[in-house]
Amino acid sequence: MQTIVEVNDIEKSYGPAQVINHCSLKIYEGEIYGLLGINGAGKTTLMKMILGLQRMDRGSIYVLGKEVSSGPEYLANVGSVIENPTFYEHLSANELLSMHLCYMQKKADIEAILHLVGLENVKQKPISKYSLGMKQRLGLARAIVHHPKLLILDEPLNGLDPIAIAEIRGLMRTLANEGISILLSSHMIGEVRHTADRIGILSEGYIKQEFTVKEKVSECGEQFEGYVVGLMRREGI
Amino acid sequence: MNLYRLELMKIRLSTYLWAVAGIFLSLLALGILFLFIYQIEAGGSGTSEEAELFANWNGLLSLTTALAFACFSILSAVIAAKVIINEYCGRNAVILLSYPIERNAILRVKCLIVCGISTTSALISNILVVGMMYVIAHVFGIVPQMNTEHFILTVFLSSILMGILSSAVGIISTAFGWKKHSMVVTIVCAFIIVCVATNFITVSPRNIIWVMLAMSTIFVVIANFIYHILANRIKKMEV
């Protein structure tokens, strides 16, 4: 399986606080990798470093075979939703996505993407009129409209209703089956369990535990969440 | 060209066009008032020292140009605050820096948009205001007429230099707004610069072109220097 993301022994500190410490991980093609960790564990920082939004103090990150520090060209194949997505609120969803495609220098069927995220009926409305959940869906649409090979989603299900959560989970699975790799972060075990193939627990700045969901679920059954919480407690995560 | 179109999509251009129209009308109203001040103050005899600035076209041109410079500098700072400070210092920075485009290329386009809108609107507005004042003065027979060719050239040159100066003020004030991550600071800074710089335009009405040329040269050099500082910061920027 092709390696899409390769994080090698990276470090990052903000002043005296070491946020990422000798962290390494690999994400393979078509895989959904769930990044679990408590608030402030460094999940968002790690994701931002993969996107080139934060610089690392040490180590290297390769995305689709290109080193992140070599330039922003690799971002044409990366889609992301980091924190709460922001938009130009006077634009409509249609205009926003066509603008995004121009920046990404790609072409795609905007209508199909809007249909996929359930925004086809409001595509001409200004984004300022959207609800929080609709904005979250639009953020996801923006992340996938240019057909990226890697999708980085930082707590993408925040603010969504249960139906939307189920739909987005299904969408992530479809995308992974099409060969898109997804890095998904959350502090909610249930959310990651139902979506990810592999889980990495980020603590003290590095991936302290890594396991496949299938194996652990067959091992622990319904006790999966309890197992992960216990693991986090034992390890002092 | 595509980047220009994309960056223009992000702002509501119509808002700024309305602002330009408002500034134009205000300047025109003041310009017409200036034409009649000399008549009221000195009865057209040319003896009142205070009214001297309103007695000839050099004085009137320097007054209207100074006022236009003040207004369009603030407008330029407002656009710069919205287009540059709000984008890079706000939450949009995450998406802006996630595009596969060199960071400096986007900043260059943003700065050119600020300069383009400010310079063009200032140039057109000032030419129209002074032109209309000239026509009104001709119709009413007030203020001695001057050589038309020389007048047109002076108005054109002073207007274009004023446009360049205004856009340079917008870029210069961005440096202070960037430091404080604030749109308000950008605009206030432009206001302070304008308060000082406007006085220089009216110092010597006869040599308005040379005064403005000197000011433009200094301001453009400073603006260019600030652009390079901003470009460097954005290149190393972390969000």
Side-chain angles (χ1 to χ4, degrees):
Chain A
M1 232 186 311
Q2 196 194 342
T3 306
I4 300 296
V5 179
E6 191 178 340
V7 177
N8 298 319
D9 200 26
I10 59 166
E11 286 182 21
K12 172 78 184 172
S13 47
Y14 297 115
Q18 184 99 12
V19 182
I20 301 291
N21 188 14
H22 296 289
C23 180
S24 299
L25 75 89
K26 279 185 180 181
I27 300 169
Y28 301 102
E29 190 180 1
E31 179 186 46
I32 304 180
Y33 189 98
L35 199 58
L36 267 179
I38 57 166
N39 291 332
K43 302 185 293 291
T44 304
T45 303
L46 179 59
M47 290 178 147
K48 283 183 173 177
M49 282 199 280
I50 295 171
L51 284 167
L53 298 173
Q54 296 257 337
R55 279 196 311 275
M56 58 208 124
D57 300 333
R58 204 176 149 267
S60 60
I61 299 175
Y62 290 87
V63 176
L64 298 154
K66 297 253 167 66
E67 190 164 10
V68 165
S69 54
S70 67
E73 291 77 19
Y74 76 97
L75 292 170
N77 290 311
V78 181
S80 61
V81 179
I82 297 289
E83 293 157 347
N84 292 325
T86 53
F87 308 99
Y88 301 99
E89 305 236 335
H90 62 283
L91 299 178
S92 67
N94 241 343
E95 290 169 331
L96 184 95
L97 294 186
S98 66
M99 185 176 89
H100 181 74
L101 280 171
C102 287
Y103 272 113
M104 289 295 184
Q105 293 145 42
K106 297 233 176 137
K107 283 183 179 159
D109 186 357
I110 291 171
E111 301 282 320
I113 295 293
L114 287 172
H115 178 74
L116 204 64
V117 296
L119 291 175
E120 73 274 26
N121 294 331
V122 287
K123 63 186 177 190
Q124 302 295 355
K125 257 190 178 180
I127 298 166
S128 55
K129 301 255 190 304
Y130 282 20
S131 68
L132 180 67
M134 285 157 88
K135 285 183 180 173
Q136 204 72 14
R137 284 163 183 255
L138 183 59
L140 198 63
R142 181 169 61 186
I144 61 175
V145 71
H146 57 287
H147 300 297
K149 289 178 180 155
L150 171 67
L151 203 51
I152 296 177
L153 306 173
D154 187 12
E155 309 197 0
L157 305 180
N158 280 358
L160 293 179
D161 57 70
I163 296 169
I165 289 174
E167 282 172 7
I168 302 293
R169 269 183 196 153
L171 176 63
M172 279 194 250
R173 182 47 58 201
T174 309
L175 293 170
N177 290 340
E178 285 172 9
I180 296 174
S181 308
I182 301 174
L183 173 61
L184 168 79
S185 92
S186 182
H187 52 266
M188 290 158 73
I189 300 163
E191 179 183 318
V192 178
R193 179 218 160 153
H194 287 104
T195 323
D197 299 312
R198 207 149 54 94
I199 290 178
I201 298 176
L202 186 68
S203 172
E204 295 175 10
Y206 67 98
I207 303 291
K208 227 170 186 179
Q209 287 276 344
E210 206 172 49
F211 48 82
T212 59
V213 176
K214 220 179 234 176
E215 274 175 26
K216 280 290 169 229
V217 168
S218 64
E219 226 176 77
C220 314
E222 286 308 305
Q223 303 303 311
F224 177 83
E225 287 187 28
Y227 164 79
V228 176
V229 172
L231 186 75
M232 287 169 115
R233 281 198 180 129
R234 271 201 310 279
E235 296 282 346
I237 292 168
Chain B
M1 205 60 195
N2 207 14
L3 263 183
Y4 290 95
R5 191 177 61 82
L6 291 173
E7 288 300 321
L8 280 171
M9 265 179 88
K10 293 180 185 175
I11 55 171
R12 283 185 219 230
L13 202 58
S14 59
T15 312
Y16 301 111
L17 293 180
W18 278 112
V20 170
I23 292 172
F24 165 72
L25 289 174
S26 309
L27 290 173
L28 183 63
L30 279 170
I32 293 168
L33 190 69
F34 291 159
L35 280 178
F36 292 98
I37 280 178
Y38 182 66
Q39 299 293 316
I40 297 160
E41 284 288 305
S45 62
T47 49
S48 167
E49 234 174 79
E50 293 81 12
E52 196 59 40
L53 204 55
F54 305 97
N56 56 59
W57 279 107
N58 287 327
L60 284 168
L61 180 64
S62 68
L63 269 174
T64 46
T65 306
L67 277 170
F69 162 69
C71 295
F72 284 103
S73 293
I74 304 289
L75 178 73
S76 175
V78 170
I79 302 171
K82 181 75 183 160
V83 172
I84 300 172
I85 302 297
N86 191 40
E87 286 274 288
Y88 286 105
C89 300
R91 286 171 58 221
N92 278 338
V94 170
I95 191 75
L96 192 64
L97 302 181
S98 301
Y99 293 132
I101 300 168
E102 284 299 331
R103 294 178 177 192
N104 286 355
I106 297 181
L107 176 72
R108 191 166 49 242
V109 169
K110 284 179 180 293
C111 287
L112 286 173
I113 285 173
V114 172
C115 294
I117 296 174
S118 318
T119 308
T120 313
S121 52
L123 173 71
I124 294 170
S125 168
N126 207 39
I127 288 175
L128 283 178
V129 166
V130 180
M132 287 169 97
M133 282 169 67
Y134 195 75
V135 170
I136 290 166
H138 188 75
V139 169
F140 287 93
I142 47 174
V143 187
Q145 300 296 298
M146 65 188 284
N147 180 305
T148 310
E149 271 176 37
H150 179 253
F151 179 68
I152 289 173
L153 187 69
T154 310
V155 170
F156 182 76
L157 284 176
S158 61
S159 300
I160 203 159
L161 287 170
M162 186 267 292
I164 293 168
L165 256 176
S166 307
S167 51
V169 170
I171 301 294
I172 291 167
S173 50
T174 310
F176 299 90
W178 183 279
K179 201 172 167 111
K180 295 282 177 193
H181 283 216
S182 160
M183 287 172 71
V184 177
V185 169
T186 311
I187 298 161
V188 169
C189 178
F191 189 76
I192 294 167
I193 296 172
V194 158
C195 285
V196 179
T198 309
N199 293 302
F200 292 109
I201 299 176
T202 49
V203 159
S204 175
R206 277 164 203 263
N207 301 311
I208 184 170
I209 300 294
W210 297 110
V211 171
M212 290 192 73
L213 188 64
M215 281 174 73
S216 298
T217 310
I218 295 165
F219 274 58
V220 167
V221 168
I222 298 170
N224 196 37
F225 176 67
I226 282 165
Y227 164 76
H228 282 99
I229 291 174
L230 284 181
N232 242 339
R233 286 190 184 166
I234 286 169
K235 208 173 172 182
K236 294 175 187 165
M237 188 177 164
E238 291 184 284
V239 286

